Amino acid sequence: QSFGMGVSGRSPATILGHEKDKWCVLYACRKKVFGFKNEWIWIYSREPELSEEDKKAAMASIKEFLPDFKEDRLVMVKQG
């Protein structure tokens, strides 16, 4: 299962959190003109679906880095 926000070109990605052999959260940001920026977050997992416990842990790693992030901004992509 993966959740994400947008995809555009190449931007360096930062690992915000991970649980070995379960899931990983990546973050990328590209600065634009006039102070604007594009941000992307991806949650990748080894299984087609994350458990509720793993979703909460992944979201906690996002919130640690981006405290104002809203979970409803993520788009679930059905896998498998």
Side-chain angles (χ1 to χ4, degrees), residues 9-74:
R10 294 183 180 187
S11 294
T14 301
I15 297 173
L16 299 185
H18 68 91
E19 179 67 39
K20 186 179 179 185
D21 296 328
K22 287 188 174 187
W23 57 268
C24 175
V25 177
L26 297 178
Y27 169 81
C29 178
R30 179 183 294 156
K31 292 183 180 184
K32 302 292 231 173
V33 295
F34 306 116
F36 292 101
K37 63 183 176 180
N38 290 338
E39 295 179 288
W40 300 274
I41 295 174
W42 300 272
I43 302 173
Y44 293 105
S45 74
R46 296 248 182 201
E47 300 297 324
E49 289 192 40
L50 280 172
S51 69
E52 283 303 313
E53 179 181 334
D54 287 336
K55 281 183 193 177
K56 287 179 184 176
M59 284 306 301
S61 70
I62 294 170
K63 291 284 193 174
E64 184 177 333
F65 187 76
L66 302 166
D68 297 328
F69 182 76
K70 305 282 189 268
E71 186 174 348
D72 63 354
R73 294 185 62 205
L74 293 176

